[in-house]
Amino acid sequence: MSLIVQKYGGTSVGNTDRIKAVAERLVAAKRAGNDVVAVVSAMGDVTDELLDLAAAVNGEPPEREMDMLLATGEQVTIALLAMAIHALGHEAISFTGPQVGIVTDAGHTKARIQEVRADCVREAIEAGRIVIVAGFQGTTPDNQITTLGRGGSDTTAVAVAAGIGADVCEIYTDVDGVYSADPRVVPSARKIAVISYEEMLELAATGARVLQLRSVEFARNHGVVIHVRSSFNDLPGTIVKEADPSMEQAMISGVTHDTTEAKITIRDVPDQPGVAAQVFSGLAEANVNVDMIVQNVSEAGATDISFTIPKEDLVRAKRAVESVVERLGARSWLVDEAVAKVSLVGAGMKTHPGIAARMFRSLAKAGVNIDMISTSSIRVSCVIAREQAELAVRALHDEFDLATDQIAAEIAPSAGGAE
Ligand code: ASP
Ligand code: MG
């Protein structure tokens, strides 16, 4: 008998028939002798619709009120799912994030979890019930409702799994695992059977949209094993866990692309101590998340600084840059929104030299110009023109043979599933 957390995303609970199907899955897992906790998202596109409603009444809605609004989406799903389970003759009880004691900081719309109390979850399990928890939401210590950022239900699921010591956290979604590239761009992309937290973090941070980045961070920090799988079939998906010696590693795990960032360049800033500090302090104060930074060689005492930021921070970034440019007496600045970041991720980079060179050669052969480069010990990212993103992904997937199964001995996904 296992203690399982199962998370169902928006598509998996997109209408009442799908909610009934999820109810059946949960009851089957329970009847098979497991204790089950479900974490669910808002139905279908409900979160997007709520965002549209807010935009219709206020262009810059107060973030506290935004959270009041967004948290309603998940509350609809938990109640309906509990009712559907009761209709199948089984005991179930639903809880909101605040009821479960998902305590966060006060960073409205992207709050961070500080503590998971989960007493009511444990008690309800003891009483033999299927427990249903609203994803994406929490509460500050002084009772303000918060949300955890888009895709935050993944993080709720992992946090609840850590809080109750679950054997596995199964993330049911509309794709059946983590792939070596986006299968819509590379039809031959391969499903990855097992991947380390380290590599999954890099994939999630650079554009793989299967898991929210914070959920992977939380899982790594608390040793929660994640199983990403489809809610529409019973196939094993992708296991995310600590790398261990028995886990035969592919040299390269995958290639990702991200078109959600914009590039800002400040021209002719004085090349002297303290300038970069001023530019990026201004951006930090404006709560802008800077990703890549490149400073050019200086000419005649002046230099260019380029950096990338999420497009959703663009309005705030522009304001911050404007005032810094004026203060520094820089010549001008410009924004390029038509960029993409293409990244190659693989633990094998630690031991195989020359991977970056091979990546650049492959991009050159495809006629792709590289604008900016950044690396970590297991990742190389390039900023390129957005219109070439898919071409670049396909070229790299080919170059590194990612469609072929490079893993000699795959580990069977660990048990604990509902099936
Ligand atoms: N409903 C939220 C969203 O659409 C949270 C989630 O689904 O994970 O981002
Ligand atoms: Mg998601």
Side-chain angles (χ1 to χ4, degrees):
M1 174 173 132
S2 304
L3 174 55
I4 308 169
V5 172
Q6 296 189 344
K7 181 255 169 178
Y8 292 91
T11 314
S12 309
V13 292
N15 56 43
T16 48
D17 281 339
R18 289 196 176 158
I19 288 178
K20 287 190 206 165
V22 168
E24 271 164 24
R25 264 184 184 268
L26 293 167
V27 168
K30 179 76 187 165
R31 295 225 162 106
N34 302 295
D35 285 328
V36 202
V37 177
V39 173
V40 288
S41 293
M43 293 170 68
D45 296 328
V46 162
T47 305
D48 290 326
E49 287 159 16
L50 293 171
L51 286 167
D52 290 345
L53 285 178
V57 294
N58 186 336
E60 267 183 276
E63 293 188 320
R64 178 190 182 277
E65 302 310 326
M66 198 56 144
D67 278 349
M68 287 301 255
L69 178 69
L70 293 183
T72 61
E74 272 67 13
Q75 201 170 334
V76 171
T77 322
I78 56 171
L80 290 175
L81 183 54
M83 292 173 191
I85 293 172
H86 277 273
L88 296 173
H90 215 288
E91 281 283 309
I93 183 165
S94 69
F95 295 116
T96 64
Q99 281 179 309
V100 167
I102 308 228
V103 182
T104 73
D105 63 17
H108 283 291
T109 75
K110 41 180 175 289
R112 282 186 168 272
I113 296 177
Q114 293 174 330
E115 192 193 341
V116 179
R117 301 212 177 102
D119 299 323
C120 64
V121 175
R122 276 182 291 263
E123 281 158 24
I125 292 172
E126 282 296 305
R129 290 167 155 166
I130 294 173
V131 182
I132 300 156
V133 177
F136 184 48
Q137 48 176 259
T139 174
T140 64
D142 55 350
N143 286 325
Q144 303 302 310
I145 291 177
T146 52
T147 63
L148 310 178
R150 298 307 306 266
S153 298
D154 294 341
T155 303
T156 304
V158 171
V160 168
I164 61 173
D167 298 296
V168 64
C169 179
E170 298 183 326
I171 306 277
Y172 285 91
T173 176
D174 50 355
V175 294
D176 56 3
V178 180
Y179 277 76
S180 55
D182 185 337
R184 283 166 304 186
V185 175
V186 185
S188 64
R190 188 177 53 83
K191 184 161 79 185
I192 301 168
V194 190
I195 191 165
S196 65
Y197 293 128
E198 194 189 19
E199 288 164 295
M200 193 62 228
L201 278 173
E202 295 280 11
L203 291 176
T206 57
R209 279 168 295 273
V210 204
L211 287 174
Q212 196 200 31
L213 176 60
R214 282 188 188 169
S215 72
V216 187
E217 286 171 351
F218 206 103
R220 180 196 55 190
N221 294 345
H222 295 85
V224 175
V225 175
I226 298 178
H227 186 178
V228 182
R229 55 195 314 193
S230 167
S231 56
F232 302 114
N233 62 49
D234 289 340
L235 297 172
T238 301
I239 301 278
V240 188
K241 60 176 202 166
E242 193 64 55
D244 70 62
S246 71
M247 202 162 133
E248 185 106 12
Q249 288 275 350
M251 184 175 77
I252 301 295
S253 314
V255 39
T256 56
H257 65 291
D258 182 358
T259 52
T260 64
E261 292 189 347
K263 188 180 82 168
I264 297 184
T265 303
I266 308 179
R267 312 280 303 277
D268 282 355
V269 293
D271 191 10
Q272 63 198 35
V275 167
Q278 281 195 55
V279 172
F280 295 104
S281 304
L283 289 161
E285 274 156 32
N287 203 11
V288 174
N289 238 323
V290 177
D291 183 14
M292 278 194 214
I293 301 175
V294 169
Q295 178 174 329
N296 286 344
V297 198
S298 71
E299 244 178 87
T303 182
D304 295 349
I305 297 180
S306 296
F307 52 91
T308 59
I309 56 153
K311 277 183 198 147
E312 61 186 28
D313 291 351
L314 202 52
V315 176
R316 272 175 288 129
K318 282 181 180 169
R319 246 183 253 143
V321 169
E322 228 155 31
S323 80
V324 166
V325 162
E326 206 167 299
R327 240 181 305 139
L328 292 177
R331 183 151 61 91
S332 58
W333 60 285
L334 45 108
V335 179
D336 186 356
E337 292 191 55
V339 295
K341 181 171 70 178
V342 175
S343 307
L344 194 64
V345 174
M349 288 185 198
K350 284 183 187 162
T351 44
H352 295 74
I355 289 183
R358 206 171 138 195
M359 175 180 184
F360 303 151
R361 235 182 292 129
S362 158
L363 291 176
K365 215 165 49 183
V368 175
N369 186 47
I370 301 171
D371 222 12
M372 299 167 93
I373 298 168
S374 82
T375 64
S376 79
S377 62
I378 62 163
R379 173 185 54 79
V380 184
S381 301
C382 299
V383 172
I384 61 171
R386 186 173 61 202
E387 71 212 26
Q388 291 188 307
E390 302 198 348
L391 171 73
V393 170
R394 282 192 282 266
L396 295 173
H397 200 267
D398 241 32
E399 171 67 31
F400 290 93
D401 249 345
L402 300 184
T404 331
D405 196 345
Q406 311 163 53
I407 302 174
E410 280 183 4
I411 306 168
S414 61
E419 294 79 29

